[in-house]
Amino acid sequence: CSELLLLDEPTNHLDLDAILWLEDWLKAYRGTLLLISHDRDFLDAVVESIVHVAEQQLTLYRGGYTQFERTRAERLVQQQAAFEKQQAQREHMQRYIARFRAQATKARQAQSRLKALERMELIGPAHIDSPFSFSFREADQQSSPLLDLHEATVGYGDSAVLEQVKLQLAPGARIGVLGPNGAGKSTLIKTLAGTLQLLAGELKTGEHLAIGYFAQHQLDSLDPEASPLLHLARIAPAERDQTLRNFLGGFDFRGDRIDEPVRHFSGGEKARLALALIAWQ
């Protein structure tokens, strides 16, 4: 048995049963575990501490993810209060120095405050992660139903994965598709998106239907040498540069990052860009 287990997002592409099995296995693991995950429930179930990486620093928090959020929020409030208090104190000292440093009777006190000001360890303002701010633009017209799958067989080549499928989607519906790996979830989605042909049956789509499709392999379709701005400009060539920059800023692509080739991006950043391109369309 290993003494140290390093896991980098182990729940990616696992079905729900496999995630629950992994949770139980890790709880029983007797060695030291270092885990990267964006699954809050998974973290709460498995870990005893959180190391938060931000502004090129690592900060240790005791407890799971829920406790981390609570403690970090408290620290941010305290830091902001301390920052504002120090700023007021510095402003008061600077006004005193500016007023009395030229007066012989007050020069010593002014010089003392100046030295204290120079020695003061500055408290930075509380940094809260940049919020995302974007919206999916409303369609001018909607069809109802959006699509209708009737007596369908879906699969690859001559191999059927699902048969006798009946599915009708209405505007505004929100539906989760669950099932074990290999059950045919992605095959069904690819068929609805039009990237796979029906093996049998009928698929009717609404007259005004437009589909945004994000797949597991979506990141492979990005041009590694192109920047986020260039990716968006390619699908919106007539749009103003600033409009594109503002839109990408809503997905937290800002500053130099917006003009960098995506080959330098993490998997999460690439996924965020792929979602931004879908949102624009």
Side-chain angles (χ1 to χ4, degrees), residues 19 34 46 72 87 94 102 105 114 124 127 159 163 179 185 205:
I19 291 174
L34 188 62
V46 172
R72 181 166 178 258
Q87 290 299 104
Q94 287 167 339
T105 56
L114 179 60
H127 173 73
S159 178
E163 297 180 299
K185 303 184 298 298
T205 58

Side-chain angles (χ1 to χ4, degrees), residues 96-104 106-108 110-111 114:
Y96 185 95
I97 294 166
R99 182 179 179 185
F100 295 116
R101 69 189 307 174
Q103 295 185 19
K106 297 286 188 176
R108 180 173 296 179
Q111 191 66 26
L114 179 60

